Amino acid sequence: DTGVSQDPRHKITKRGQNVTFRCDPISEHNRLYWYRQTLGQGPEFLTYFQNEAQLEKSRLLSDRFSAERPKGSFSTLEIQRTEQGDSAMYLCASSLPLGKSSGANVLTFGAGSRLTVL
Amino acid sequence: AQRVTQPEKLLSVFKGAPVELKCNYSYSGSPELFWYVQYSRQRLQLLLRHISRESIKGFTADLNKGETSFHLKKPFAQEEDSAMYYCAPPTTSGTYKYIFGTGTRLKVLA
């Protein structure tokens, strides 16, 4: 296991196009998170899953954003009709639940997918 | 809404000087608190969590429930400590939605 993988690493798109990012978490981690980070800011929570269930979604997210984790393993984050304000680094992280190990609840991050909307 | 405040965007210290990175949170329960670090060109990673009560790379953090603070400290800064540091408590009891502060960039000068 090589940790949390994200693909693509960088996506350049034109305004109005749809984009999809993929995240492959560490295999035994059942929680998966999506964050967005812009320059000079900390990671901003978008949503998280426990297994395949999406437990919480930020109210900051518009309906153009959707995330799925159909089999409780990898996840996708789709942005429809992209806007220039969507340009950011999209981070995925995964974690073990409490009780599973001493590393429980610790977020392991991927390298991120950088989105540039022209 | 729950908030995390890291008042300093940039903290510059000389090598060997003590460091304190501040974190205040608005939360009334018993949060599980974390500090994450991002070194240049590396992924965001855990630095330490308060329940483990351990020192990582010489850093410690004490939870002060009265002041709702979780400041990160190191007695003698090293150049390799230069990085972005983020404080991350959860929003409410029983949730695993972790919010992050805006971060503090630590620069350790030779």
Side-chain angles (χ1 to χ4, degrees), chain A residues 58-113:
Chain A
S58 170
R59 287 178 227 160
L60 298 174
L61 280 190
S62 72
D63 292 341
R64 297 184 297 107
F65 287 72
S66 62
E68 294 182 343
R69 194 183 183 197
K71 297 181 181 178
S73 56
F74 74 91
S75 175
T76 57
L77 175 69
E78 182 183 17
I79 309 173
Q80 296 181 324
R81 305 181 302 282
T82 53
E83 301 172 357
Q84 288 184 325
D86 298 331
S87 295
M89 178 73 85
Y90 290 84
L91 298 172
C92 177
S94 65
S95 73
L96 278 169
L98 195 64
K100 291 291 184 182
S101 82
S102 60
N105 293 338
V106 172
L107 298 180
T108 300
F109 282 87
S113 292

Side-chain angles (χ1 to χ4, degrees), chain B residues 27-38:
Chain B
Y27 181 79
S28 58
S30 297
E32 182 178 17
L33 291 157
F34 302 84
W35 276 96
Y36 285 81
V37 62
Q38 190 166 27

